């Protein structure tokens, strides 16, 4: 949101310096992001003065230059070398003396310095139009009328307004009360009345003087009918006749330009001015084009077409609120005007609308049609229903004054169900506990009263307030506490200087707790966490019946909730690899969504991994290590170990590695198919794994157990098996795992060897077995006996040969 500093000062009883104002706004929740100086003429003609050429002669060393003597109202005349062909004695001109910064229409500003030009002293510059930003002419210097007074500042002569400042405020969605100049002024006055209450000044908003709206003798009648009162609780209008549509006055153009709004014509500019003054959107219709001079607020028929101001035809939803006349739809209420709803240079009579539309209705329509207008932005945040008539009155008076129009009707205000102020009961102790400061009751009452709240009843322990209509976000006692805290200031909450921490205990692990543990491990292992959008493109999943479609999609490319995590990460990989970043190790915690049956949806928390390129770079001690399925498989196994999960079954089906606990699948890993990579134009291999976080947490049996180090030595034995190639390592491991020997502590595969010397279709797997007891030292005979039993099982079950 943009606010004009000079415009804002009109509503304050006393000026506040721009730096102080910025600090105040930020402290009360209207964060000032930037402040930009805004000038009608760059530089504001600062330093430029009106002068008179007293003498002019040809430069002795240059045919196209002249030497002039110029009077600028100072005791000493200036000697200026001028290159303009039209300079002459007796002229009134604009002079930039030494030390003045000139801001030309094209090019960078430059400082006027005393210099010598072709051997002659020059103490300034006589200016052309384009050299000071007044016009585009550069044919010669600008010659002023003889009535111009020497020594007068150019800014004063041309009536250049003083510089303004554009204040950029990062307005949060809940602060609709601050979405206008008067709204900001209210907050500033509340702040000043609390913090400057001993100064004796009355800090109250200076609202524009409105007065009565008196219709002319000749009336322009109209009627209003609201058929959709649920979406339009209040609608008001007034007519004006003999409107002269044309350019706006300079002050109005400047005000709008300061906040980034382009001037259109005097009527539209007034509606924009009042929108940013009061926060109330308005719309002006050509009265003579209203069929039956009637306004009907209603919903459209199913499949109704509508052509907007942009000449695009749209199919309306049955929930789109429309403003219609007796014949057709004129505009989408509060969002966008129709092709024939606005005014033109030929308009002579207008109907001016001011209304309140329900925020939910406006937001749904605005998002569905992709129409993000100023009016829609205000309505969807919630405008002040109490400002409908003051804003309408203000606009009618301004249009009448600026265009010469006459008021041609009274104000028609359809307001069938009057808004009732919500009542909130609050304990003083609750405010103090929540804010961390002991406020006295008088300060609480003063802040709330200055903010527009009405205290209905109170005693020593509690009070009840009525919420003003301009604060739709206030719904509970915590919101009242927030109002007090932000006006008093977060910096005024005392801090003891001590920080206390009480560790909590939790009997059962939660997803959030384990997410933190796992994230710590993965980050320390060198992976980078990513956060992607859970809304994605349905084109990735053609023919999938379980997709969860968005009712109000943000765009045609973001129209479903993602059913899988894979594609989100592939988008990230494609973005990075296109920028020469091929070595990626990524992980993300996110949710996936599925339609189980009509109206029934399932949301599942997942942890996903993507690995591509190299897992370690090239080094003089070792070559680069390419990523493979075993690397990502190792990551998953380390996560299981971190979580204390040991009883888990691993299986491989069609190249997909799965980990299960009973019938429940906890995780899977695989190489991303080429068809999926092609969608994202990824050329290199990508390895993917995912964990169902809820299944993981359910599988956690206990936390990691600690025990003292064993006192007795371990014994290691290696065994090399020659097997058929189709025999998997899992089959080998299963035989070792099936032996319930207390002494067998660990086994691992440390080598795979394939050669024609082993025989056709053969491979060699080398394993290391570790044996150890806690209470005594194992004998060689005991270890040899266990190894012989393993060898017998491998020969019998897998037809293994033992390599000596």
């Amino acid at each position: 949101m943009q606010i004009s500093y000079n415009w804002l000062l009109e509503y304050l009883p006393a000026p506040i310096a721009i730096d102080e104002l910025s600090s105040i706004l930020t402290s009360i929740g209207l964060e000032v992001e930037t402040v930009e100086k805004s000038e009608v003429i760059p530089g504001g003609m600062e330093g430029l003065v009106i002068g008179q050429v007293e003498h002019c002669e040809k430069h002795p060393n240059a045919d196209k230059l002249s030497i002039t003597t110029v009077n600028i109202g100072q005791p000493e005349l200036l000697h200026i070398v001028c290159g303009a062909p039209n300079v002459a004695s007796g002229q009134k001109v604009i002079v930039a003396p030494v030390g003045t910064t000139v801001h030309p229409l094209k090019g960078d500003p430059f400082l006027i310095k005393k210099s010598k030009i072709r051997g002659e002293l020059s103490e300034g510059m006589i200016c052309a139009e384009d050299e000071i930003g007044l016009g585009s002419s550069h044919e010669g210097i600008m010659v002023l009328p003889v009535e111009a007074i020497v020594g007068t500042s150019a800014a004063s002569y041309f009536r250049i307004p003083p510089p303004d400042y554009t204040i950029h405020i990062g307005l949060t969605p809940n602060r609709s009360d601050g979405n206008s100049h008067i709204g900001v002024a209210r907050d500033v006055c509340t702040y000043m009345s609390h913090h400057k209450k001993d100064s004796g000044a009355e800090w109250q908003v200076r609202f524009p003087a409105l007065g009565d709206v008196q219709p002319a003798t000749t009336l322009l009648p109209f009627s209003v009918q609201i058929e959709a009162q649920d979406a339009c609780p209040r609608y008001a209008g007034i007519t004006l006749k003999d409107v002269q549509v044309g350019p706006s006055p300079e002050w109005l153009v400047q005000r709008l330009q300061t906040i980034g709004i382009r001037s259109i014509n005097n009527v539209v500019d007034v509606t924009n001015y009042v929108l940013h003054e009061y926060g109330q959107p308005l719309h002006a219709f050509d009265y003579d084009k209203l069929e039956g001079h009637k306004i009907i607020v209603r919903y459209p028929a199913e499949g109704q077409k509508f052509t907007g101001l942009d000449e695009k035809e749209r199919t309306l939803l049955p929930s789109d609120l429309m403003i219609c006349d007796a014949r057709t739809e004129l505009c989408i209420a509060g969002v966008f005007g129709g092709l024939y709803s606005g005014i033109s240079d030929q308009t002579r009579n207008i109907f001016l609308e001011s209304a309140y539309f329900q925020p939910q209705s406006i937001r749904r329509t605005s998002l569905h049609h992709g129409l993000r207008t100023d009016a829609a932005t205000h309505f969807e945040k919630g405008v002040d229903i109490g400002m409908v008539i003051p804003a309408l009155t203000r606009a009618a008076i301004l249009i009448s004054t600026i265009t010469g129009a006459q008021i041609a009707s009274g104000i028609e205000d359809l307001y069938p169900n009057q808004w009732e102020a919500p009542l909130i009961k609050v304990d003083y102790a609750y405010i103090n506990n929540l804010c961390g400061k002991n406020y006295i009751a008088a300060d609480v009452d003063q802040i709330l009263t200055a903010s527009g709240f009405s205290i209905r009843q109170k005693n020593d322990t509690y009070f009840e307030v009525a919420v003003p209509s301009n604060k739709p976000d206030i719904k509970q006692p915590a919101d009242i506490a927030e109002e007090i805290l932000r006006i008093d200031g977060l910096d005024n909450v005392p801090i003891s200087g001590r920080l206390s921490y009480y560790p909590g205990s939790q009997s059962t692990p939660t997803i959030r707790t384990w997410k933190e543990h796992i994230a710590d491990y993965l980050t320390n292992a060198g992976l980078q966490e990513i956060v992607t959008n859970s809304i994605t493109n349905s084109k990735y999943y053609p023919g999938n019946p379980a997709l969860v479609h968005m009712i109000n999609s943000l765009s045609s490319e973001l129209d479903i909730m993602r059913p899988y995590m894979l594609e989100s990460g592939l988008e990230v990989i494609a973005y990075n690899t296109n920028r020469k970043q091929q070595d990626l190790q990524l992980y993300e915690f996110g949710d996936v969504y599925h339609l189980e049956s009509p109206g029934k949806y399932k949301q599942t928390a997942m942890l996903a991994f993507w690995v591509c390129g190299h897992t370690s770079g090239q080094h003089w001690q070792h070559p680069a290590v390419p990523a493979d399925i075993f690397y990502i498989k190792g990551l998953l196994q380390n996560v299981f170990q971190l979580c204390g999960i040991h009883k888990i079954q691993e299986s491989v089906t069609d190249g997909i590695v799965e980990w299960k606990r009973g019938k429940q699948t906890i995780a899977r890993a695989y190489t991303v198919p080429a068809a999926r990579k092609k969608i994202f134009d990824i050329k290199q291999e990508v390895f993917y794994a995912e964990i169902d976080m809820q299944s993981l947490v359910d599988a956690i049996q206990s936390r990691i157990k600690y025990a003292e180090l064993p006192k007795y030595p371990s014994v290691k034995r290696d065994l090399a098996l020659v097997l058929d190639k189709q025999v998997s390592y899992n089959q080998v491991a299963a035989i070792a795992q099936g032996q319930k020997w207390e002494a067998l502590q660990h086994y691992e595969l440390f080598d795979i060897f394939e050669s024609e010397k082993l025989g056709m279709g053969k491979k060699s797997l080398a394993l290391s077995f570790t044996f150890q007891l806690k209470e005594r030292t194992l004998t060689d005979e005991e270890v040899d006996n266990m190894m012989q039993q393993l060898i017998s099982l491998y020969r019998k079950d897998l037809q293994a040969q033992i390599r000596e």
Side-chain angles (χ1 to χ4, degrees), residues 31 33 60 67 79 113 125 128 145 169 176 219 222 225 242 257 289 311 389 404 577 596-597 604 695 702 707 774 779:
E31 182 183 1
E33 297 175 337
I67 300 175
H79 297 274
K113 300 178 181 179
M125 183 176 79
I169 295 176
S176 61
L219 301 179
F222 67 93
Q225 180 181 345
D242 300 330
Q257 285 179 345
K289 293 181 181 179
E311 299 185 2
I389 299 305
T577 55
E596 294 188 321
S597 60
T604 307
S695 298
S702 63
K774 296 179 181 179
T779 65

Side-chain angles (χ1 to χ4, degrees), residues 17 33 35 38 84-85 117 209 265 394 415 417 441 543 571 615 664 753:
E33 297 175 337
V35 176
S38 176
I117 302 177
N265 60 52
R394 170 71 161 162
Y415 195 9
N417 299 311
E571 288 179 336
T615 57
Q664 188 177 39
F753 175 70

Side-chain angles (χ1 to χ4, degrees), residues 302-322:
E302 184 77 32
Q304 179 73 44
K305 303 293 185 181
F306 174 76
T307 304
L309 287 170
D310 56 2
E311 299 185 2
K312 292 182 180 179
E313 185 179 76
R314 295 173 173 85
T315 301
L316 300 173
L317 295 175
S319 59
D320 292 338
L321 188 65
M322 305 299 295

Side-chain angles (χ1 to χ4, degrees), residues 505-619:
S505 61
Q506 200 164 7
S507 57
T508 56
T510 64
I511 288 181
R512 181 174 179 179
T513 301
W514 286 104
K515 278 183 177 179
E516 293 175 359
H517 290 321
I518 295 169
D520 286 343
Y521 158 69
L522 294 175
T523 302
N524 290 332
L527 278 75
Q528 292 182 307
E529 184 175 9
I530 60 174
V531 179
T532 60
N533 196 344
S534 58
I535 305 174
T536 188
N537 197 330
S538 60
K539 75 176 184 180
Y540 297 154
Y541 316 99
N544 190 331
L547 298 181
V548 179
H549 290 271
M550 302 284 292
I551 295 175
N552 295 318
S553 59
L554 300 177
S555 70
S556 60
E557 296 182 350
L558 295 172
D559 58 345
I560 63 165
M561 304 300 292
R562 64 183 172 199
Y564 309 107
M565 298 288 291
L566 172 64
E567 289 72 20
S568 299
L570 291 181
E571 288 179 336
V572 176
I573 290 174
Y575 181 89
N576 281 273
T577 55
N578 288 339
R579 288 157 180 79
K580 306 302 181 183
Q581 301 296 318
Q582 274 83 22
D583 301 334
L584 301 170
Q585 299 181 55
L586 312 173
Y587 75 93
E588 179 181 11
F589 292 98
D591 292 344
V592 296
Y593 308 83
H594 293 89
L595 174 66
E596 294 188 321
S597 60
K600 186 178 180 181
Y601 304 93
K602 183 180 180 181
Q603 179 176 339
T604 307
M606 303 294 290
L607 167 59
F609 305 80
W610 298 263
V611 177
C612 62
H614 295 87
T615 57
S616 65
Q618 186 174 357
H619 190 263

